[in-house]
């Protein structure tokens, strides 16, 4: 099936989830992130509510 | 080229020790570990690499397999979570069954935690490699499990969330079977007057969504119908749909969406609720739709039947509903006196907070009350203790509107049992993971969206419906479902049908066969967690790749 | 994150920016600038040998400046990609001074000082904007004295202090105490240096410096230049020794922060800055208070807010548990000002509206729950993409399709859309993926409706 690619701008949790969903659908994704690595604000968090499990 | 035969040829284990630059080699003697590995039983080839994950490293593995006729590969390097799939694929490319590969972690579990203890770390790495080689000797080739996928989805519930999911799935080219127990689509929205923040009529919104869904040739709509029975599993569900007064219809689908919504609490016995002068927000909506304004003096009380010892949760959308309706009343009649008595105004986010400010600007009055001294509703007035001034205040009023929580429907539990999915302590459907998988159930192929999951406003229900459609597309866009070969199997000869495994299984992957009195694993749903194998008193349940003899070999090797 | 890095259908371009967008829904032409890291991505294995040797020490922005990093660095240890990056503003080699140590120690031969930015052209059918948010700068609220009082910090700084992988390994050392520790280290260096100089004189003249100085002050050794130098050194030494010893004594009393104050709505629900509610900060503060109490059982927290918005699934129960089990109390009132008391303790002045009292109270540490503001550069990005912003400064979306921006084929999700927590961001992200998929799947190569 001829499918166009998708560009996701931002590699935080939302960008990561969108990219993974699209990739699993068989769509090629370009994931762009301005910082040297993905993870966004969530990577800076220690634990997250309400389950208190690790952010990473 | 056929995959290499294994057992007949005798063990030929290849061990690859990774330096990982200085991550491992900087803290233990990799050369010594490699030398040691070459002396282990079954090992015919041992090689040290700078970076096993690099192109060069992969090349070494494949060259090793070819030149030394390896039938087992052990890589001692980092965590399997980083590169195990890469190494497995490399083996497969060299025609060695990828499940004849074993990974040993001498980085996270050795060099990284024993920095500065070089000798001890080296000895430990040797132990770990010895364990890995011992287990590798018992590995068996496995085949990934394939299942077919029917590109069709059952959506249960044609409210906002269900309509949104249906529309999106259909737009993506999937067939949808939409089942609704009422005679029309729209769910709770049919009782709502106007929506916030822009004030559009709920009826218009339903009409728009219904028209879109009903115009699609790949959507089959069953109104006045209920789901009677569901069998099967991801990719292959068998559904029996019973239209009212008719014969059951059978449909085969690949995935399911639960979009059955919720209903507002009728607060019998609270605040003098009588459905006439003390009403719920939903009853107010119905009056407003009918053009029946509730009177000049309105008092709304928040958190009725919620955030209490009996029902702890906050139903999150009642505050925005109250503000929406309060503003509407004021806009229709600027002389109206509208009071909202609250504990916290839950106007989260940008749009909602703006509505709160606008409401204040339009003259809606807000007052905080204490849960330990709740308002008293009497004939023609509401009195309450105002902590901000320390006095009891009386507000004359014509009607009292109680903001009550949305609750799970009475038939939610029955549906959860039919689908074999869990509900939480409040009766709402329980998703696989509160944060990272809010729309998935732990059981593969079943999803949830809208107020069936937790009270949601229209925007949120639409977003979640779209989200569920995406989650389904990640499955049904594939030609077939391929799952890992690392699954459990139950020996039918020795199983006694005690069902201990079924109680442990988090994925509903085991079923009981009454005619044979044994349990059976659905290898498509099985995630290889091993709980059943650990529980089974007769060792009938065994996890491939982690069988007792494999694990015992590792333990004896220490 | 690892799944993203490994997925065959995802091409990850980190350290990159969108420069230009042309075309239309179904057929966008995007120009991307891949910034030079001066490290080759396909060679770097992330082993970290380079940064161990790099001589340039800088504040670590991932740790909100509470820790340090080098000029060659990885954003954080578990980052994907693990490729390191050279900060061109501070690298010695790139600024004309001789160095290049990183290149010498790199066993993968990955450092390349001649690397240039690359321009890449992409052709895509749809675009998903997931650019998140930025943390409000609380120094814009002068009465909170965020810059002046070291023990007044932001929520995200607190996260880094709480984090086992953070600059204090999860021990809640107060920033003022950390500064004092650094000063002690610096003074210790100076004391040790000046002591060595004094030792030399003492050996030469066979006399203790103290005894010598007493005699010197009485006028003995007048005209002796060498001994004059000794006297000078002695005075200088005392000038450093006294504050060193005083500070060391003070430091003996240092303890981890146990009495915490969380101030909600810093920059949010505020006419001066952002009128909106940032959605997750009430829960964020409760969580931080619970975790801090887990680390140290004696920790108590007071959360100052107007409405405590714990609205998500399981949140109200979490908030109640926090109150019952983790030493949290909730006070309804906005904080008027923060001042500094003895021992660098911040003093919070507030009105407790339920008790109708104005109170000043001191704490060990004050954490500001800062607003979730639109990211820097949204104006520019909106312009580049040809989409509009709403009145709050986030990307504007439609009513019937909440993830559609004002331009067909471009969608938004997560905090770029508006303040929201993780489950909502994840659900929205899947929703945006569905919308984007509709555009690019072959049966739907038309305008997204």
């Amino acid at each position: 099936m001829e499918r166009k690619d998708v560009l996701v701008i931002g590699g935080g949790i939302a960008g990561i989830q969108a990219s993974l969903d699209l990739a699993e659908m068989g769509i090629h994704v370009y994931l762009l992130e301005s910082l040297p690595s993905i993870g966004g604000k969530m990577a800076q968090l220690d634990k997250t509510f309400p389950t208190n499990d690790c952010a990473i | 080229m056929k995959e290499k035969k294994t057992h007949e040829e005798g063990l030929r284990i290849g061990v690859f020790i990774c330096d990982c630059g200085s991550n491992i080699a900087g803290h233990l003697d990799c050369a010594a570990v490699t030398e040691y590995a070459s002396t282990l039983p079954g090992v015919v080839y041992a090689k040290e690499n700078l970076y096993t994950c690099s192109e060069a490293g992969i090349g070494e593995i494949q060259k090793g397999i070819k030149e030394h006729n390896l039938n087992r590969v052990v890589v001692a390097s980092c965590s399997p979570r980083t590169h195990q799939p890469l190494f497995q694929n490399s083996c497969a490319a060299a025609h060695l069954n990828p499940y004849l590969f074993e990974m040993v972690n001498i980085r996270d579990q050795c060099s990284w935690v024993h920095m500065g203890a070089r000798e001890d770390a080296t000895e430990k790495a040797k132990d770990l490699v010895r364990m890995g080689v011992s287990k590798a000797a018992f590995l068996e080739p496995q085949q990934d499990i394939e299942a077919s996928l029917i590109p069709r989805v059952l959506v249960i519930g044609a409210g906002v969330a269900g309509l949104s999911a249906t529309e999106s799935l259909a737009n993506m080219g999937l067939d949808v079977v939409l089942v609704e127990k009422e005679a029309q689509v729209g769910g709770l929205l049919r009782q709502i007057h106007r929506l916030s923040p822009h004030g559009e009529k709920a009826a218009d919104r339903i009409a728009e969504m219904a028209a879109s869904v009903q115009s699609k040739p790949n959507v089959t709509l069953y109104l006045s119908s209920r789901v009677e029975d569901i069998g099967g599993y991801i990719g292959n569900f068998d559904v029996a749909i019973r239209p009212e007064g008719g014969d059951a219809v059978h449909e085969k689908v690949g995935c399911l969406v639960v979009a059955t919504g919720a209903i507002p609490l009728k607060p019998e016995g609270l605040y003098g609720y009588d459905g006439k002068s003390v009403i719920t927000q939903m009853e107010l909506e119905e009056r407003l739709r009918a053009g029946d304004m509730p009177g000049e003096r309105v008092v709304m009380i928040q958190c009725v039947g919620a955030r209490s010892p009996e029902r702890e949760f906050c139903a999150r959308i009642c505050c925005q509903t109250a503000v929406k309706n309060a503003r509407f009343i004021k806009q229709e009649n600027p002389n109206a006196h509208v009071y909202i008595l609250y504990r916290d105004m839950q106007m989260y986010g940008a749009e909602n907070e703006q509505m709160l400010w606008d409401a204040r600007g339009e003259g809606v009055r807000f007052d905080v009350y204490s849960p330990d001294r709740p308002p008293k509703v009497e004939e023609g007035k509401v009195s309450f203790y105002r902590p901000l001034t320390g006095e009891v205040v009386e507000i004359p009023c014509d009607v009292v509107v109680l903001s009550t929580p949305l609750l799970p429907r009475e038939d939610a539990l029955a549906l959860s049992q039919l689908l074999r999915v869990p509900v939480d302590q409040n009766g709402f459907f329980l998703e696989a993971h509160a944060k990272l998988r809010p729309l998935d159930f732990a059981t593969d192929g079943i999803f949830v969206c809208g107020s069936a999951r937790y009270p949601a406003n229209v925007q949120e229900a639409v977003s979640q419906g779209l989200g569920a459609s995406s989650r389904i597309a990640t499955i049904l866009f594939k030609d077939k479902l391929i799952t890992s070969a690392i699954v459990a199997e139950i020996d039918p000869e020795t199983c006694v049908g005690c069902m201990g495994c079924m109680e442990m299984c988090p994925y509903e992957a085991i079923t009981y066969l009454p005619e044979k009195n044994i349990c059976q694993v659905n290898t498509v749903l099985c995630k290889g967690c091993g709980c059943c194998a650990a529980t089974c008193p007769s060792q009938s349940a065994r996890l491939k790749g982690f069988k007792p003899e494999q694990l015992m070999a590792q333990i004896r090797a220490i | 994150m690892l799944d993203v890095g490994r997925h065959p259908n995802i091409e990850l371009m980190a350290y990159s920016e969108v420069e230009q967008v042309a075309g239309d829904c179904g057929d966008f032409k995007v120009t991307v600038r891949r910034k030079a890291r001066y490290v080759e991505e396909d060679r770097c294995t992330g082993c970290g040998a380079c940064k161990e040797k790099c001589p340039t020490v800088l504040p670590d922005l991932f740790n909100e400046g509470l820790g340090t990093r080098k000029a060659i660095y990885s954003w954080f240890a578990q980052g994907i990609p693990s490729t390191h990056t050279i900060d061109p503003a501070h690298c010695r080699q790139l600024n004309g001074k001789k160095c290049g140590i990183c290149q010498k120690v790199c066993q993968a031969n990955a450092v390349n000082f001649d690397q240039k930015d690359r321009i890449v052209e992409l052709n895509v059918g749809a675009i998903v904007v997931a650019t998140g948010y930025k943390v409000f700068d609380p120094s814009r609220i002068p009465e909170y004295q965020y810059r002046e009082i070291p023990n007044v910090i932001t929520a995200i700084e607190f996260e880094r202090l709480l984090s086992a992988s953070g600059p204090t390994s999860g021990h809640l050392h107060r920033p003022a105490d950390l500064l004092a520790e650094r000063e002690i280290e610096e003074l210790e260096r100076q004391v040790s240096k000046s002591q060595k100089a004094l030792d030399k004189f003492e050996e030469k003249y066979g006399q203790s410096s103290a005894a010598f100085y007493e005699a010197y002050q009485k006028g003995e050794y007048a005209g002796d230049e060498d001994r004059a130098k000794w006297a000078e050194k002695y005075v200088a030494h005392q000038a450093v020794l006294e504050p060193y010893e005083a500070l060391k004594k003070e430091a003996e009393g240092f303890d981890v922060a146990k009495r915490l104050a969380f101030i909600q709505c810093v920059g949010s629900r505020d006419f001066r800055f952002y009128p909106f509610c940032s959605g997750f900060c009430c829960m964020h503060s409760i969580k931080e208070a619970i975790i801090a109490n887990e680390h140290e059982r004696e920790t108590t927290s007071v959360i100052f807010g107007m409405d405590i918005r714990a609205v998500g699934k399981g949140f109200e129960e979490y908030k109640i548990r926090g109150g019952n089990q983790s030493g949290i109390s909730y006070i309804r009132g906005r904080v008027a000002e923060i001042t500094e008391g003895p021992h660098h303790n911040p003093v919070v002045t507030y009105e407790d509206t339920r008790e109708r009292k104005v109170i000043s109270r001191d704490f060990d540490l004050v954490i500001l729950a800062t607003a979730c503001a639109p990211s820097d550069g949204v104006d520019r990005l909106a312009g580049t993409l040809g989409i509009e912003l709403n009145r709050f400064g986030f990307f504007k979306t439609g009513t019937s399709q909440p993830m559609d921006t004002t331009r067909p084929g471009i969608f938004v999700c997560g905090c770029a859309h508006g303040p929201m927590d993780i489950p909502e961001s994840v659900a929205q992200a899947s929703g945006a993926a569905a919308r984007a998929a509709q555009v690019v799947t072959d049966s739907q190569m038309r305008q997204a409706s």
Side-chain angles (χ1 to χ4, degrees), chain C residues 395-414:
Chain C
F395 294 103
K396 187 174 180 180
T397 54
T399 31
S400 55
Q401 285 293 2
M403 266 82 73
D404 289 25
T405 63
T406 48
R407 188 169 178 191
I410 305 187
F411 309 98
V412 66
C413 57

PDB file of all heavy atoms in Angstrom, chain C residues 395-414:
ATOM      1  N   PHE C 395      -1.579  26.013  20.579  1.00  0.00           N
ATOM      2  CA  PHE C 395      -2.058  25.842  19.203  1.00  0.00           C
ATOM      3  C   PHE C 395      -3.566  25.701  19.192  1.00  0.00           C
ATOM      4  O   PHE C 395      -4.153  24.946  19.953  1.00  0.00           O
ATOM      5  CB  PHE C 395      -1.376  24.634  18.557  1.00  0.00           C
ATOM      6  CG  PHE C 395       0.112  24.832  18.361  1.00  0.00           C
ATOM      7  CD1 PHE C 395       1.015  24.225  19.210  1.00  0.00           C
ATOM      8  CD2 PHE C 395       0.593  25.662  17.359  1.00  0.00           C
ATOM      9  CE1 PHE C 395       2.386  24.422  19.063  1.00  0.00           C
ATOM     10  CE2 PHE C 395       1.958  25.874  17.200  1.00  0.00           C
ATOM     11  CZ  PHE C 395       2.850  25.258  18.061  1.00  0.00           C
ATOM     12  N   LYS C 396      -4.190  26.442  18.281  1.00  0.00           N
ATOM     13  CA  LYS C 396      -5.657  26.507  18.239  1.00  0.00           C
ATOM     14  C   LYS C 396      -6.223  25.266  17.559  1.00  0.00           C
ATOM     15  O   LYS C 396      -5.690  24.813  16.535  1.00  0.00           O
ATOM     16  CB  LYS C 396      -6.050  27.760  17.461  1.00  0.00           C
ATOM     17  CG  LYS C 396      -7.525  28.070  17.470  1.00  0.00           C
ATOM     18  CD  LYS C 396      -7.750  29.419  16.789  1.00  0.00           C
ATOM     19  CE  LYS C 396      -9.219  29.773  16.762  1.00  0.00           C
ATOM     20  NZ  LYS C 396      -9.430  31.049  16.105  1.00  0.00           N
ATOM     21  N   THR C 397      -7.323  24.744  18.130  1.00  0.00           N
ATOM     22  CA  THR C 397      -7.924  23.551  17.533  1.00  0.00           C
ATOM     23  C   THR C 397      -9.416  23.764  17.311  1.00  0.00           C
ATOM     24  O   THR C 397     -10.001  24.695  17.830  1.00  0.00           O
ATOM     25  CB  THR C 397      -7.747  22.332  18.445  1.00  0.00           C
ATOM     26  OG1 THR C 397      -8.274  22.659  19.736  1.00  0.00           O
ATOM     27  CG2 THR C 397      -6.289  21.958  18.575  1.00  0.00           C
ATOM     28  N   GLY C 398     -10.022  22.844  16.546  1.00  0.00           N
ATOM     29  CA  GLY C 398     -11.434  22.949  16.228  1.00  0.00           C
ATOM     30  C   GLY C 398     -12.301  22.399  17.351  1.00  0.00           C
ATOM     31  O   GLY C 398     -11.814  21.784  18.283  1.00  0.00           O
ATOM     32  N   THR C 399     -13.622  22.616  17.251  1.00  0.00           N
ATOM     33  CA  THR C 399     -14.522  22.121  18.283  1.00  0.00           C
ATOM     34  C   THR C 399     -14.891  20.661  18.041  1.00  0.00           C
ATOM     35  O   THR C 399     -14.852  19.846  18.955  1.00  0.00           O
ATOM     36  CB  THR C 399     -15.834  22.919  18.336  1.00  0.00           C
ATOM     37  OG1 THR C 399     -16.128  23.384  17.014  1.00  0.00           O
ATOM     38  CG2 THR C 399     -15.732  24.079  19.284  1.00  0.00           C
ATOM     39  N   SER C 400     -15.265  20.325  16.793  1.00  0.00           N
ATOM     40  CA  SER C 400     -15.727  18.954  16.569  1.00  0.00           C
ATOM     41  C   SER C 400     -14.561  17.976  16.477  1.00  0.00           C
ATOM     42  O   SER C 400     -14.706  16.805  16.748  1.00  0.00           O
ATOM     43  CB  SER C 400     -16.597  18.862  15.316  1.00  0.00           C
ATOM     44  OG  SER C 400     -15.878  19.382  14.217  1.00  0.00           O
ATOM     45  N   GLN C 401     -13.355  18.468  16.107  1.00  0.00           N
ATOM     46  CA  GLN C 401     -12.196  17.592  16.052  1.00  0.00           C
ATOM     47  C   GLN C 401     -11.115  18.200  16.942  1.00  0.00           C
ATOM     48  O   GLN C 401     -10.357  19.066  16.490  1.00  0.00           O
ATOM     49  CB  GLN C 401     -11.694  17.444  14.602  1.00  0.00           C
ATOM     50  CG  GLN C 401     -12.571  16.555  13.736  1.00  0.00           C
ATOM     51  CD  GLN C 401     -12.543  15.099  14.193  1.00  0.00           C
ATOM     52  OE1 GLN C 401     -11.900  14.737  15.177  1.00  0.00           O
ATOM     53  NE2 GLN C 401     -13.233  14.252  13.456  1.00  0.00           N
ATOM     54  N   PRO C 402     -11.030  17.794  18.178  1.00  0.00           N
ATOM     55  CA  PRO C 402     -10.158  18.477  19.140  1.00  0.00           C
ATOM     56  C   PRO C 402      -8.663  18.398  18.869  1.00  0.00           C
ATOM     57  O   PRO C 402      -7.905  19.134  19.471  1.00  0.00           O
ATOM     58  CB  PRO C 402     -10.493  17.787  20.475  1.00  0.00           C
ATOM     59  CG  PRO C 402     -11.171  16.524  20.112  1.00  0.00           C
ATOM     60  CD  PRO C 402     -11.784  16.688  18.784  1.00  0.00           C
ATOM     61  N   MET C 403      -8.217  17.514  17.945  1.00  0.00           N
ATOM     62  CA  MET C 403      -6.785  17.500  17.665  1.00  0.00           C
ATOM     63  C   MET C 403      -6.416  18.175  16.348  1.00  0.00           C
ATOM     64  O   MET C 403      -5.239  18.238  15.999  1.00  0.00           O
ATOM     65  CB  MET C 403      -6.235  16.068  17.664  1.00  0.00           C
ATOM     66  CG  MET C 403      -5.680  15.655  18.995  1.00  0.00           C
ATOM     67  SD  MET C 403      -6.935  15.115  20.142  1.00  0.00           S
ATOM     68  CE  MET C 403      -7.330  13.560  19.427  1.00  0.00           C
ATOM     69  N   ASP C 404      -7.406  18.660  15.623  1.00  0.00           N
ATOM     70  CA  ASP C 404      -7.126  19.320  14.341  1.00  0.00           C
ATOM     71  C   ASP C 404      -6.736  20.776  14.569  1.00  0.00           C
ATOM     72  O   ASP C 404      -7.462  21.505  15.244  1.00  0.00           O
ATOM     73  CB  ASP C 404      -8.360  19.295  13.443  1.00  0.00           C
ATOM     74  CG  ASP C 404      -8.673  17.918  12.908  1.00  0.00           C
ATOM     75  OD1 ASP C 404      -8.277  16.932  13.568  1.00  0.00           O
ATOM     76  OD2 ASP C 404      -9.298  17.825  11.842  1.00  0.00           O
ATOM     77  N   THR C 405      -5.658  21.206  13.964  1.00  0.00           N
ATOM     78  CA  THR C 405      -5.303  22.624  14.043  1.00  0.00           C
ATOM     79  C   THR C 405      -6.106  23.365  12.978  1.00  0.00           C
ATOM     80  O   THR C 405      -6.965  22.781  12.312  1.00  0.00           O
ATOM     81  CB  THR C 405      -3.802  22.832  13.753  1.00  0.00           C
ATOM     82  OG1 THR C 405      -3.535  22.409  12.410  1.00  0.00           O
ATOM     83  CG2 THR C 405      -2.938  22.059  14.730  1.00  0.00           C
ATOM     84  N   THR C 406      -5.754  24.646  12.789  1.00  0.00           N
ATOM     85  CA  THR C 406      -6.522  25.435  11.826  1.00  0.00           C
ATOM     86  C   THR C 406      -6.109  25.129  10.394  1.00  0.00           C
ATOM     87  O   THR C 406      -6.618  25.754   9.456  1.00  0.00           O
ATOM     88  CB  THR C 406      -6.319  26.936  12.101  1.00  0.00           C
ATOM     89  OG1 THR C 406      -4.923  27.192  12.247  1.00  0.00           O
ATOM     90  CG2 THR C 406      -7.035  27.330  13.391  1.00  0.00           C
ATOM     91  N   ARG C 407      -5.178  24.211  10.191  1.00  0.00           N
ATOM     92  CA  ARG C 407      -4.775  23.853   8.830  1.00  0.00           C
ATOM     93  C   ARG C 407      -4.974  22.362   8.614  1.00  0.00           C
ATOM     94  O   ARG C 407      -4.473  21.547   9.405  1.00  0.00           O
ATOM     95  CB  ARG C 407      -3.315  24.227   8.631  1.00  0.00           C
ATOM     96  CG  ARG C 407      -2.857  24.074   7.209  1.00  0.00           C
ATOM     97  CD  ARG C 407      -1.505  24.697   7.016  1.00  0.00           C
ATOM     98  NE  ARG C 407      -1.080  24.472   5.637  1.00  0.00           N
ATOM     99  CZ  ARG C 407       0.134  24.701   5.175  1.00  0.00           C
ATOM    100  NH1 ARG C 407       1.066  25.169   5.982  1.00  0.00           N
ATOM    101  NH2 ARG C 407       0.419  24.462   3.912  1.00  0.00           N
ATOM    102  N   PRO C 408      -5.648  21.967   7.556  1.00  0.00           N
ATOM    103  CA  PRO C 408      -5.858  20.538   7.316  1.00  0.00           C
ATOM    104  C   PRO C 408      -4.526  19.803   7.208  1.00  0.00           C
ATOM    105  O   PRO C 408      -3.566  20.298   6.615  1.00  0.00           O
ATOM    106  CB  PRO C 408      -6.600  20.501   5.975  1.00  0.00           C
ATOM    107  CG  PRO C 408      -7.195  21.842   5.818  1.00  0.00           C
ATOM    108  CD  PRO C 408      -6.295  22.800   6.521  1.00  0.00           C
ATOM    109  N   GLY C 409      -4.481  18.622   7.780  1.00  0.00           N
ATOM    110  CA  GLY C 409      -3.275  17.805   7.696  1.00  0.00           C
ATOM    111  C   GLY C 409      -2.294  18.040   8.816  1.00  0.00           C
ATOM    112  O   GLY C 409      -1.305  17.324   8.933  1.00  0.00           O
ATOM    113  N   ILE C 410      -2.564  19.048   9.645  1.00  0.00           N
ATOM    114  CA  ILE C 410      -1.658  19.309  10.774  1.00  0.00           C
ATOM    115  C   ILE C 410      -2.451  19.146  12.060  1.00  0.00           C
ATOM    116  O   ILE C 410      -3.515  19.752  12.225  1.00  0.00           O
ATOM    117  CB  ILE C 410      -1.027  20.702  10.698  1.00  0.00           C
ATOM    118  CG1 ILE C 410      -0.313  20.883   9.356  1.00  0.00           C
ATOM    119  CG2 ILE C 410      -0.045  20.897  11.859  1.00  0.00           C
ATOM    120  CD1 ILE C 410       0.491  22.157   9.229  1.00  0.00           C
ATOM    121  N   PHE C 411      -1.931  18.306  12.964  1.00  0.00           N
ATOM    122  CA  PHE C 411      -2.648  17.973  14.182  1.00  0.00           C
ATOM    123  C   PHE C 411      -1.784  18.283  15.392  1.00  0.00           C
ATOM    124  O   PHE C 411      -0.568  18.417  15.283  1.00  0.00           O
ATOM    125  CB  PHE C 411      -3.040  16.488  14.155  1.00  0.00           C
ATOM    126  CG  PHE C 411      -3.730  16.116  12.872  1.00  0.00           C
ATOM    127  CD1 PHE C 411      -3.029  15.524  11.835  1.00  0.00           C
ATOM    128  CD2 PHE C 411      -5.074  16.419  12.676  1.00  0.00           C
ATOM    129  CE1 PHE C 411      -3.643  15.224  10.632  1.00  0.00           C
ATOM    130  CE2 PHE C 411      -5.695  16.118  11.471  1.00  0.00           C
ATOM    131  CZ  PHE C 411      -4.989  15.523  10.454  1.00  0.00           C
ATOM    132  N   VAL C 412      -2.421  18.407  16.539  1.00  0.00           N
ATOM    133  CA  VAL C 412      -1.673  18.738  17.757  1.00  0.00           C
ATOM    134  C   VAL C 412      -2.132  17.834  18.889  1.00  0.00           C
ATOM    135  O   VAL C 412      -3.280  17.390  18.912  1.00  0.00           O
ATOM    136  CB  VAL C 412      -1.867  20.230  18.128  1.00  0.00           C
ATOM    137  CG1 VAL C 412      -3.304  20.524  18.520  1.00  0.00           C
ATOM    138  CG2 VAL C 412      -0.917  20.639  19.242  1.00  0.00           C
ATOM    139  N   CYS C 413      -1.230  17.544  19.793  1.00  0.00           N
ATOM    140  CA  CYS C 413      -1.603  16.696  20.931  1.00  0.00           C
ATOM    141  C   CYS C 413      -0.708  17.047  22.116  1.00  0.00           C
ATOM    142  O   CYS C 413       0.338  17.663  21.964  1.00  0.00           O
ATOM    143  CB  CYS C 413      -1.481  15.212  20.585  1.00  0.00           C
ATOM    144  SG  CYS C 413       0.148  14.714  20.032  1.00  0.00           S
ATOM    145  N   GLY C 414      -1.155  16.649  23.285  1.00  0.00           N
ATOM    146  CA  GLY C 414      -0.363  16.878  24.490  1.00  0.00           C
ATOM    147  C   GLY C 414      -0.377  18.330  24.924  1.00  0.00           C
ATOM    148  O   GLY C 414      -1.265  19.097  24.562  1.00  0.00           O
TER     149      GLY C 414
END
